[in-house]
Amino acid sequence: MSIQDAERRRSIPRRVVSGLQQPLPPLAVPVPPGRPAPAARPAAVRDRAGRRLYAVDGIRLLAALMVAVHHYAGTNRVDQPGNRIWDRPVSDIMPTVFRFASYGWIGVEIFFVISGFVICMSCWGRTPRQFFVSRVIRLYPAYWFAVAFTTAVLMLLPGVWDRLRMRDVLLNVTMLQSGSGVMNVDGVYWTLWSELRFYLLFLVVVWSGLTYRKVVVFCCVWGAAAMLAPISKLPLLELVANPEGAWYFIAGLALYLMHRFGQDLLLWGILAMAWLMGQRELGIRIDEVEHVSGWRGSVAIFTVFLLAMVAIALGATDRVRWKWLVTAGALTYPLYLIHYAAGTTLINRLRDTMDARLLVVSVIAGFLLLSWLVHRFVERPVARLLKRGLDTSFARLRNASG
C-alpha cells in the first residue's frame, strides 16, 4: 500500500564479486560405504524469482477498493445518525452494502503484507542508495499531488472535514508529520508512517546485504521487539518496533522468502506466528477503532488472503499474466491517497441526487480515472526527474574529495 536469497542452502558457500553474490562449487563430502549418495540440491534461487507477479497487482487493487468502499459505506462514522457524509446511518440506506463494507478496513493489513513481500523482492541485490532512491520516487510524486488535491477540495467544499492550517499542510509535504505530532491532511496517511518505519528498519538489512539468513534473523528480532514493546512502556521501542503493523510486514517477508527459496518449516513457523499475532491485532483494532465488524469474519478474510499469498509465493499463479493487472497495480497507490477526504466530501454534496449504491460506484469509478491520470501525468514524469536528480546528487557525493 513494494513491496518488495540464496543463503538458505547452507551447503553452498558464497563469495562477493563486484557486489553480487556468486555460488562456489559445493565441497565434496565423502559418502560412507553402503550409504547412497545424497541427491543434488536444486538451485537456491528459482528461475521465476525475477518474474513479475501479476496476481499481486490484482490483490493490491482489490485491497484498495475494499478500503474505499469501507470509507464510503462501512465505517462507524458513516453509520451514526446525523453524520456529515450521509446525514443518516448508512446501514439504514443500504444495509447489505454496509454489512460487507464494514470489513473493508482489512485491506490496510493486506497492504502491509504485500508491502513486506514487494519491498523484499525489489530490494534484493540493491544497494542502500538504490533502495532510498526507489522509495523516494515511488512514494512522493503521487503523495505530493494528493496533499495539494485534497487541500484544494477541502478549501472549495468545506463543511465535512476541518482544513488544517497552512503550516501543517506544508509539513505534510514531508510525509513526516506524524513524527511531529501534526495531523494528516487526509486520515489515510497514517499508514505511510508505518511504512516509513518499516523502510528505515529494513534499510539496515539492505545495507548489510540481503540474504536468506539475514532476512530470517530480521523477522525474528523485529517480531520479538514488537512483542515486548507494549509491555516495556518505552515510547522509543514502541515507535521503532511498530507492534500494530510489524507482524503483517513480517508475514510479507516470510512469503517472499518462500517465493524465492521455496518453503521450509522455519518460514512456515514465522508465517504462523505472524497469523497468530495478526489475528490479535485485528481484534484490538475492532475493539478500539472500527466497532462495526466481527472478529471471526475479519480473521476469516485475513486468512483467505494469506492463503492466496502463499499460493502466489509457491507459484500457483505463475500462469496469470494479464497485462491489465499491471495498470491495476499502478492505480492502487494514487487511489488510496486521494479517495477518502475528497470522496466523502463529494458524497456529502451528491447524496440526494442519485441512488446511494450508484453514487458509491460512481465516486470510486471517478477516482480510478483520476488515479490513472495521476499515474500517467504526475507519477511517471516526476519520478523520472527525481531519479535523475538523486542519481546525480549521489554521484557527486561519492566523488567529492572533501
Side-chain angles (χ1 to χ4, degrees):
M1 162 308 253
S2 119
I3 332 143
Q4 328 241 168
D5 302 353
E7 208 174 78
R8 185 175 69 90
R9 312 301 185 183
R10 294 182 173 84
S11 65
I12 303 181
R14 311 201 64 82
R15 63 185 174 188
V16 176
V17 180
S18 301
L20 299 177
Q21 292 184 328
Q22 304 293 333
L24 292 170
L27 297 175
V29 179
V31 180
R35 181 177 299 177
R41 286 190 172 190
V45 180
R46 301 182 179 187
D47 291 339
R48 62 184 178 84
R51 296 179 184 174
R52 186 180 188 95
L53 299 175
Y54 292 88
V56 172
D57 289 315
I59 292 180
R60 289 172 61 196
L61 182 61
L62 176 61
L65 293 174
M66 287 172 59
V67 173
V69 173
H70 174 67
H71 284 152
Y72 296 159
T75 65
N76 186 53
R77 181 193 299 272
V78 299
D79 200 40
Q80 299 301 313
N83 68 83
R84 292 184 178 182
I85 299 166
W86 293 100
D87 191 45
R88 58 196 178 101
V90 73
S91 58
D92 293 344
I93 303 173
M94 37 184 171
T96 302
V97 173
F98 173 75
R99 191 175 302 116
F100 287 99
S102 64
Y103 288 92
W105 57 271
I106 302 171
V108 170
E109 280 65 27
I110 293 174
F111 281 143
F112 287 162
V113 175
I114 293 176
S115 180
F117 187 100
V118 172
I119 291 301
C120 194
M121 176 173 62
S122 61
C123 290
W124 212 277
R126 289 191 174 187
T127 64
R129 176 186 63 80
Q130 291 171 323
F131 174 66
F132 173 81
V133 171
S134 70
R135 291 302 88 204
V136 168
I137 67 176
R138 177 70 183 95
L139 293 180
Y140 277 97
Y143 176 75
W144 287 332
F145 174 87
V147 171
F149 171 77
T150 301
T151 300
V153 170
L154 298 187
M155 289 177 62
L156 296 173
L157 301 174
V160 179
W161 299 100
D162 296 329
R163 183 168 58 88
L164 299 184
R165 296 174 296 181
M166 185 52 63
R167 65 187 183 189
D168 292 337
V169 172
L170 292 175
L171 186 60
N172 267 251
V173 173
T174 68
M175 206 183 288
L176 303 175
Q177 62 274 9
S178 294
S180 301
V182 171
M183 292 191 62
N184 297 301
V185 166
D186 192 319
V188 298
Y189 299 168
W190 73 267
T191 62
L192 299 177
W193 184 236
S194 287
E195 293 274 354
L196 289 176
R197 285 181 284 168
F198 165 51
Y199 299 158
L200 186 61
L201 288 175
F202 201 63
L203 180 61
V204 177
V205 191
V206 174
W207 175 79
S208 69
L210 289 180
T211 64
Y212 171 88
R213 181 183 302 167
K214 290 177 182 177
V215 176
V216 167
V217 170
F218 172 78
C219 290
C220 296
V221 172
W222 190 17
M227 235 174 350
L228 296 173
I231 63 172
S232 69
K233 306 303 180 183
L234 298 174
L236 181 59
L237 180 59
E238 290 195 59
L239 175 67
V240 174
N242 186 17
E244 297 83 7
W247 287 102
Y248 303 117
F249 293 114
I250 290 171
L253 295 173
L255 285 163
Y256 180 69
L257 293 180
M258 282 188 182
H259 169 70
R260 191 174 183 91
F261 294 103
Q263 59 183 311
D264 61 37
L265 185 58
L266 181 58
L267 295 179
W268 279 112
I270 294 173
L271 189 61
M273 181 64 76
W275 181 88
L276 290 169
M277 298 300 291
Q279 62 82 26
R280 178 180 179 275
E281 291 298 331
L282 294 177
I284 292 174
R285 183 166 172 183
I286 291 170
D287 294 340
E288 297 182 355
V289 180
E290 301 300 337
H291 308 298
V292 290
S293 48
W295 173 82
R296 289 183 178 85
S298 301
V299 172
I301 294 171
F302 182 65
T303 303
V304 168
F305 159 72
L306 275 187
L307 292 175
M309 287 298 296
V310 168
I312 293 171
L314 299 182
T317 62
D318 283 356
R319 294 179 180 272
V320 177
R321 298 184 183 180
W322 305 323
K323 299 298 182 182
W324 65 268
L325 288 175
V326 178
T327 303
L331 299 182
T332 300
Y333 184 53
L335 175 63
Y336 178 78
L337 292 176
I338 64 178
H339 80 276
Y340 184 35
T344 49
T345 299
L346 289 176
I347 289 174
N348 167 265
R349 300 303 173 106
L350 301 174
R351 66 193 179 201
D352 297 324
T353 64
M354 65 183 76
D355 178 81
R357 291 162 295 187
L358 178 60
L359 177 56
V360 169
V361 171
S362 300
V363 171
I364 291 176
F367 277 106
L368 281 170
L369 175 59
L370 179 57
S371 298
W372 182 85
L373 294 173
V374 171
H375 172 67
R376 178 66 179 81
F377 297 106
V378 177
E379 276 193 300
R380 288 166 59 178
V382 175
R384 284 195 294 268
L385 290 174
L386 278 175
K387 186 177 188 307
R388 189 179 306 125
L390 288 171
D391 285 344
T392 301
S393 299
F394 277 111
R396 182 179 182 183
L397 184 65
R398 184 175 59 250
N399 297 328
S401 57

